[in-house]
Amino acid sequence: MANQTAIAMEFTQPRVGALIRARRRQLHMTLQEICEAAGISMGYLSQVERDQATPSLGTLAQIARSLDVGMDYFISTPSIEDSLTRAGDRQKFSVDGSSILYERIAADFAGNILSSFVLNIPPGYKSETVSHEGEEILYVLEGTINQRLDEEDIVMNVGDSLHFRGNRPHAWWNDSGEPAKVLWTGTLPLFRGRTATADLTVKTKNKTPKKPGKEENDR
């Protein structure tokens, strides 16, 4: 546990809340517009902007896409150009304020559609509820996690796997009292080029600035 804490401190990044709020205001977008594009609730995004909650990597990717920025706008992560990664050589990184550590194992090359990470999950960690495009596969390497999919709660132990469409509301947590490790693979684009939808691009490019104090959802 001490090693995980030391690694987390080594890869601490600036808080993302202020960055999200600044970019959203630059685009003259409301909380509701970002939430609709990212598949998260307004209450949760408001907490993130006030640094009262920390998004998971997948949720941060959805927010980044809705703001038409890359993930490097928020965090600095190891780049992988070689298809081979060694267990002892992979650098761990985190989203600021989060206790979960990620190991990137998917390579970057033209045409790839998969993202993949090893998630090191400390006891007590709980993700937000989210839905998004694409699909996900979870495979438990160590420990136990709880997965909520739609309205069903699933306990997953070592060797268990789960494959589902990302548009089904889902969340997961570790209340086992012991660290857990999970292999996550999905088609949700995390570090590939920006691919914001055409509707969002038109909206942000053609949107005229709102007068101060008139944004109903900008609080």
Side-chain angles (χ1 to χ4, degrees), residues 62-139:
Q62 291 292 97
I63 294 172
R65 294 185 70 204
S66 70
L67 294 172
D68 194 29
V69 294
M71 287 288 280
D72 56 355
Y73 179 80
F74 298 110
I75 57 176
S76 175
T77 63
S79 177
I80 297 180
E81 298 178 356
D82 193 351
S83 59
L84 175 66
T85 67
R86 301 290 188 183
D89 296 334
R90 285 193 297 267
Q91 291 184 329
K92 294 180 175 66
F93 67 95
S94 66
V95 179
D96 72 79
S98 175
S99 57
I100 186 171
L101 298 176
Y102 299 88
E103 299 176 45
R104 187 177 180 184
I105 62 176
D108 293 323
F109 53 84
N112 73 306
I113 61 174
L114 291 177
S115 296
S116 191
F117 299 86
V118 173
L119 281 58
N120 298 272
I121 309 163
Y125 177 87
K126 184 174 183 178
S127 79
E128 64 279 11
T129 299
V130 66
S131 60
H132 53 76
E133 63 180 83
E135 54 189 302
E136 296 187 20
I137 297 177
L138 301 177
Y139 183 87

Side-chain angles (χ1 to χ4, degrees), residues 136-150:
E136 296 187 20
I137 297 177
L138 301 177
Y139 183 87
V140 181
L141 299 170
E142 297 177 9
T144 299
I145 65 166
N146 293 73
Q147 174 78 32
R148 175 165 293 170
L149 191 59
D150 295 322

Side-chain angles (χ1 to χ4, degrees), residues 1-11:
M1 194 69 179
N3 288 339
Q4 281 197 343
T5 302
I7 294 171
M9 291 176 64
E10 179 182 354
F11 286 94

Side-chain angles (χ1 to χ4, degrees), residues 15-18 20-21 24 30-32 34-36 38-64 66 95-100 102 125-132 170-172 217 219:
R15 304 293 296 185
V16 300
I20 292 172
R21 189 176 186 88
R24 178 173 63 80
T30 65
L31 284 172
Q32 183 173 352
I34 298 299
C35 291
E36 289 175 354
I40 56 178
S41 71
M42 271 182 48
Y44 179 73
L45 180 58
S46 178
Q47 287 183 316
V48 171
E49 284 200 353
R50 297 197 304 270
D51 291 324
Q52 296 177 350
T54 302
S56 65
L57 194 63
T59 298
L60 187 59
Q62 291 292 97
I63 294 172
S66 70
V95 179
D96 72 79
S98 175
S99 57
I100 186 171
Y102 299 88
Y125 177 87
K126 184 174 183 178
S127 79
E128 64 279 11
T129 299
V130 66
S131 60
H132 53 76
H170 54 278
W172 50 272
N217 298 311
R219 61 182 187 275

